[in-house]
Amino acid sequence: SLLVRRVFFPGWPAPHNQVVFAAVEAVHDITNICQSIGEALCQQVAGTVCVLDVDCTCHTQRNSTNAHQQVSVETPKRLKDLAIHVANNLWLLRSSDFSVRSAQGYSGSLVRERLSDLRREFDYTVIHAPAIGASTETASLGHWADGVVLVINAQRTRRIAAQHARDVLQAADARLIGVVLAQREFPIPQGLYRRL
């Protein structure tokens, strides 16, 4: 798809291999968007693709509890061994298997280590992060990844919220590489927009 080409293959100086996707507000679930991007990417590249779902806010309380219970378990050396093999070159890694919390709580150094592990084990990573306003994790993930794509809900997201999200990313030295407008209602058929 055009979105995948623009985000992951922008040309000079190099392609983006590890990109964070995050909604501006927690009420907007972008799980399907991230999965679709992962599927489209794996059809366009020969390398391995991982969709990392770090957004615990979209899951049930039971799954969130399980994620915290697994913090004490030592993470295996290979994240690929924990990931679910979905298709030929596509894997899914859940937040419970991507622990970035130590006994002291959330750890920025663990984020860097885990993302480095993902770079070694997968050619491309689509990171579904929590909404910008819901977690400090997203800015940290964006700092260590190649960039962040904000997902804005055309029906709900206010300009001030989008600007605040941009400011949070800039403060964390995370590179904003794009914005996706979701839930847009087209007054004329979408096919006509493509011809314009």
Side-chain angles (χ1 to χ4, degrees):
S1 79
L2 182 60
L3 173 63
V4 167
R5 288 195 298 274
R6 286 191 175 172
V7 169
F8 287 91
F9 313 110
W12 186 90
H16 300 132
N17 297 80
Q18 204 169 63
V19 179
V20 175
F21 290 81
V24 172
E25 301 151 316
V27 294
H28 187 199
D29 183 6
I30 62 168
T31 303
N32 290 337
I33 291 172
C34 293
Q35 289 173 350
S36 296
I37 290 168
E39 290 167 3
L41 180 59
C42 80
Q43 292 173 2
Q44 295 182 37
V45 298
T48 54
V49 177
C50 178
V51 176
L52 169 61
D53 187 358
V54 185
D55 187 8
C56 294
T57 60
C58 292
H59 308 302
T60 63
Q61 184 64 37
R62 184 178 61 92
N63 287 342
S64 179
T65 302
N66 287 344
H68 292 294
Q69 289 172 349
Q70 291 190 0
V71 169
S72 61
V73 179
E74 185 179 337
T75 303
K77 293 185 183 200
R78 282 176 42 95
L79 290 169
K80 196 180 252 186
D81 295 337
L82 296 171
I84 300 165
H85 192 189
V86 178
N88 286 343
N89 58 337
L90 179 63
W91 281 260
L92 172 65
L93 187 62
R94 299 165 299 195
S95 60
S96 58
D97 296 322
F98 186 79
S99 176
V100 290
R101 298 185 188 281
S102 64
Q104 291 77 33
Y106 173 77
S107 168
S109 62
L110 273 177
V111 169
R112 186 182 65 203
E113 288 175 28
R114 296 290 184 266
L115 291 181
S116 293
D117 292 341
L118 281 172
R119 280 192 198 277
R120 282 192 297 274
E121 297 180 38
F122 296 98
D123 298 308
Y124 298 92
T125 307
V126 175
I127 303 169
H128 174 200
I132 300 289
S135 172
T136 57
E137 259 178 75
T138 303
S140 181
L141 285 164
H143 175 78
W144 296 110
D146 295 329
V148 179
V149 173
L150 278 180
V151 181
I152 295 176
N153 187 310
Q155 307 302 318
R156 294 182 162 198
T157 305
R158 294 181 177 236
R159 180 179 301 213
I160 190 97
Q163 290 171 337
H164 174 70
R166 179 201 61 203
D167 294 344
V168 167
L169 294 173
Q170 285 178 344
D173 200 23
R175 185 171 171 225
L176 179 62
I177 59 174
V179 175
V180 171
L181 186 62
Q183 304 298 318
R184 180 173 179 184
E185 294 178 359
F186 290 90
I188 61 175
Q190 189 172 0
L192 293 178
Y193 278 98
R194 290 189 185 130
R195 293 181 188 174
L196 299 176

